[in-house]
Amino acid sequence: MGTDIHLYAEIHRNGKWEPIPEPVKKEWSKGKTVPVESTKIGRPYKLFAALAGVCQDNLRRTMYAVVEPISEPRGFPEDMNDFYKKSFSENQCGLDFGHSWLLLQEIIGYDWENQYVTQWAYVKHQYAHLFQDNASFPAEFPAGEKLYFVLPNWKQEPETTEVSWVTSYKEYVGCSEQFIKELLELGSPNEIRIIFWFDA
């Protein structure tokens, strides 16, 4: 089981928000017009954390880190287009959470390059000196050597020391540039808004 995102977009035209891409009739929809997801992004949990603070626990399981989100979930926008209002309210179920929205301009303005996430792990004692406070991951750390992560109820590996390093959000999330590029294809940053939620 994992967490999935449902992500749709709106464009501001003629003084109101409209669905983009245009809703369509699908073969499986039995002739009913349905909304079209604006982009398929899979399960990039680090991006989920950046968008809305979602899936932070998944990140801690793989690499101690906490991301400051662009915004905590805001719920659906009050001025959401009528088609989405009707469609999304009809399809809500108990597993949905984290309903929110963001302007594309907010995503672009997040300063991916100059914000940093601190990561923690354990390394063998002899490599601890390579790690400096508020510095990036050391290039001198030997390839093939392990990073150890201590989770609740797990025992620390013998002869290891806790270390930390910092990584820019752009590098840590990894897919932000491609995500922004795909959204920019829809229109101007101040005229495109994404609406999204998650389910597990």
Side-chain angles (χ1 to χ4, degrees):
M1 291 291 288
T3 300
D4 293 299
I5 189 170
H6 302 266
L7 192 150
Y8 300 87
E10 293 180 306
I11 186 167
H12 198 257
R13 274 194 296 231
N14 304 317
K16 62 181 182 178
W17 291 99
E18 300 175 2
I20 183 173
E22 287 288 326
V24 297
K25 291 182 180 178
K26 295 279 191 179
E27 203 172 292
W28 52 263
S29 68
K30 300 178 181 177
K32 183 179 179 182
T33 303
V34 294
V36 179
E37 290 190 69
S38 65
T39 182
K40 304 280 188 183
I41 61 174
R43 291 178 172 172
Y45 289 148
K46 293 172 182 177
L47 181 60
F48 294 178
L51 292 177
V54 169
C55 291
Q56 298 277 22
D57 287 343
N58 297 75
L59 304 184
R60 292 190 188 102
R61 288 191 194 104
T62 56
M63 192 170 288
Y64 289 175
V66 177
V67 175
E68 185 69 30
I70 299 171
S71 173
E72 294 294 332
R74 300 165 163 171
F76 287 142
E78 291 184 8
D79 58 352
M80 184 166 63
N81 72 83
D82 291 339
F83 182 83
Y84 281 0
K85 281 181 184 177
K86 184 175 186 299
S87 180
F88 297 164
S89 64
E90 286 178 351
N91 292 296
Q92 294 305 299
C93 70
L95 298 177
D96 292 346
F97 66 96
H99 300 80
S100 195
W101 60 272
L102 292 168
L103 282 170
L104 176 51
Q105 184 58 56
E106 291 180 280
I107 300 170
I108 292 172
Y110 187 45
D111 197 9
W112 299 88
E113 294 269 14
N114 298 306
Q115 291 193 93
Y116 295 88
V117 59
T118 301
Q119 299 175 248
W120 295 269
Y122 288 80
V123 298
K124 291 177 182 175
H125 292 322
Q126 64 263 39
Y127 303 123
H129 72 280
L130 298 174
F131 293 81
Q132 306 297 323
D133 288 344
N134 298 317
S136 58
F137 192 87
E140 302 83 3
F141 189 75
E145 277 297 330
K146 283 187 70 173
L147 297 171
Y148 300 91
F149 303 98
V150 179
L151 303 175
N153 303 318
W154 286 21
K155 290 184 179 179
Q156 180 180 340
E157 291 287 331
E159 300 182 9
T160 60
T161 301
E162 185 182 80
V163 296
S164 67
W165 65 97
V166 296
T167 307
S168 73
Y169 277 27
K170 178 181 176 181
E171 183 181 350
Y172 182 71
V173 171
C175 63
S176 59
E177 281 186 302
Q178 181 61 30
F179 181 61
I180 290 170
K181 179 184 175 185
E182 290 184 19
L183 292 176
L184 280 170
E185 291 173 359
L186 300 177
S188 168
N190 285 310
E191 295 175 343
I192 297 297
R193 176 168 74 182
I194 60 168
I195 296 170
F196 57 94
W197 67 91
F198 305 87
D199 68 52

